[in-house]
Amino acid sequence: MVKKHPDLYPDLGLEDIIEMLNKNDRKRLACASYSLDGVEVLADLSYKDDGDLYHNFDIYYGNSSGNLLPTVINVHGGGLVYGIKEICKQACVYMAKFGFNVANINYRLLPDVTLRDQIKDVIDGLTYIYENSHRLNLRSDKIFLTSDSAGSFLTLAALAIMKDENFREIFGIKAKDIRISGMALISPMIGLLKSGSLSLINEPARRGLTQDQIPFTDDILKALTNTILLPTIITTSEEDFIRDQALSIKNFLDERNIKNIFLDFKKTDSHPLGHGFAITHPDLEESSQVFMEINNFFKKL
């Protein structure tokens, strides 16, 4: 039986939740202490020439010793309503140190745009990086996707659109079928919550969608039923309030005999291992294990 977790933000409105997350991340990023240690950062490139900062991305180049490294494209979380690429900065540096070139993308946020717009932003980011890989000194033949929380929802939706003509027609989005070698999903979200404070995003997430599009907001795995999925490593924990969604992905992959690794961390007495801990607390020993496991998984694909 999957343990039911208490509401994360009882009695708070959506704007209050966003402000709390923003405050916590500002404090965390200001206090972060780590060395780039050979990682070169190219910041605030644009995958769409419209001047919108939410169409920017960064590249973290690992130490290649003359060899072109595999490419990782990262999509941050934030419940579809919050977040910028910088909240994953430290995690991207760590992945680059393992021998990857990491592209970390922004996308526009609800309620300023629709969920369809967000999915298209992720696809546009992936496509731009792929099509300009030579100019950006990135490999196009070995691309991996990493994401956390709502970033995983958008990543899975983008994957479905790239792979499934029917899903492209439902959302009216054209997409190139980019070859992806594997994925890492950290505390993945696959659908909107039915209750609790975070269900406040449901109305803006469904706003502007058609009746054919809305059902996928409950479970994006429905869009992947006819898709050949990728080898995937999934991270969650007993304290992850949407651990059941990570388990759903694990079961979905197992039913289809898709290679996967499931990292499920137990509760500790010394420190919390909550939702997305590898992103929010990348210096923890358990977070180091997550990045090491992702590295090992990708390098074998």
Side-chain angles (χ1 to χ4, degrees):
M1 179 179 294
V2 178
K3 180 180 178 182
K4 183 175 178 59
H5 293 274
D7 192 356
L8 286 182
Y9 308 103
D11 304 320
L12 289 181
L14 187 56
E15 291 184 2
D16 296 322
I17 295 172
I18 293 172
E19 179 53 36
M20 179 183 293
L21 292 170
N22 190 28
K23 181 179 179 180
N24 290 342
D25 275 329
R26 285 200 308 266
K27 181 179 179 180
R28 172 176 66 84
L29 294 171
C31 296
S33 178
Y34 57 93
S35 170
L36 292 178
D37 193 23
V39 175
E40 179 186 352
V41 183
L42 199 58
D44 295 326
L45 305 171
S46 178
Y47 62 82
K48 188 175 294 186
D49 189 20
D50 59 2
D52 192 327
L53 296 179
Y54 284 100
H55 288 145
N56 284 357
F57 69 101
D58 303 331
I59 302 178
Y60 299 78
Y61 292 99
N63 188 349
S64 66
S65 301
N67 297 318
L68 198 57
L69 301 174
T71 302
V72 169
I73 301 177
N74 183 70
V75 184
H76 71 80
L80 304 173
V81 296
Y82 166 76
I84 51 175
K85 53 187 170 60
E86 281 74 17
I87 64 178
C88 296
K89 181 176 182 179
Q90 194 169 352
C92 290
V93 170
Y94 289 168
M95 284 190 285
K97 288 182 178 180
F98 276 119
F100 297 96
N101 292 327
V102 184
N104 185 26
I105 69 172
N106 269 341
Y107 53 86
R108 291 171 294 171
L109 302 173
L110 302 178
D112 294 335
V113 296
T114 68
L115 178 62
R116 178 189 179 278
D117 294 327
Q118 293 183 301
I119 297 170
K120 188 174 187 303
D121 279 353
V122 171
I123 291 172
D124 288 345
L126 297 179
T127 303
Y128 180 90
I129 292 166
Y130 174 78
E131 291 182 341
N132 292 274
S133 57
H134 181 73
R135 182 176 62 82
L136 296 170
N137 200 28
L138 298 172
R139 283 182 66 173
S140 61
D141 64 324
K142 203 69 172 177
I143 296 176
F144 300 97
L145 303 179
T146 59
S147 59
D148 67 282
S149 193
S152 296
F153 181 96
L154 296 175
T155 298
L156 291 170
L159 181 66
I161 286 176
M162 287 191 293
K163 301 295 183 183
D164 190 330
E165 181 179 357
N166 180 60
F167 199 56
R168 287 197 293 273
E169 291 180 0
I170 289 173
F171 273 82
I173 299 175
K174 296 180 180 179
K176 178 172 289 187
D177 184 3
I178 299 171
R179 183 182 181 277
I180 309 296
S181 298
M183 294 190 297
L185 309 176
I186 297 174
S187 292
M189 168 183 144
I190 61 168
L192 302 177
L193 299 181
K194 292 181 172 59
S195 62
S197 56
L198 292 183
S199 66
L200 293 169
I201 71 173
N202 294 9
E203 192 278 329
R206 291 174 175 139
R207 184 186 306 155
L209 299 185
T210 68
Q211 291 302 308
D212 289 334
Q213 296 166 352
I214 286 175
F216 297 100
T217 63
D218 291 322
D219 184 357
I220 197 60
L221 296 181
K222 295 176 183 176
L224 295 163
T225 302
N226 299 317
T227 299
I228 298 177
L229 297 177
L230 311 175
T232 303
I233 180 168
I234 306 161
T235 299
T236 188
S237 65
E238 286 186 343
E239 297 175 86
D240 186 351
F241 77 103
I242 56 171
R243 178 174 175 268
D244 60 322
Q245 300 201 16
L247 285 167
S248 292
I249 297 178
K250 164 68 174 172
N251 294 334
F252 189 84
L253 295 172
D254 285 346
E255 290 169 359
R256 289 157 179 78
N257 296 314
I258 303 299
K259 180 178 181 180
N260 69 88
I261 292 177
F262 190 68
L263 304 178
D264 191 8
F265 288 82
K266 304 298 182 184
K267 184 176 181 179
T268 72
D269 294 329
S270 57
H271 52 267
L273 294 174
H275 182 68
F277 69 85
I279 302 297
T280 58
H281 298 87
D283 290 323
L284 292 175
E285 180 181 345
E286 292 87 352
S287 299
S288 296
Q289 181 182 342
V290 170
F291 295 121
M292 177 64 77
E293 293 280 0
I294 291 173
N295 167 66
N296 292 340
F297 185 73
F298 283 174
K299 290 291 177 65
K300 292 177 182 178
L301 296 178

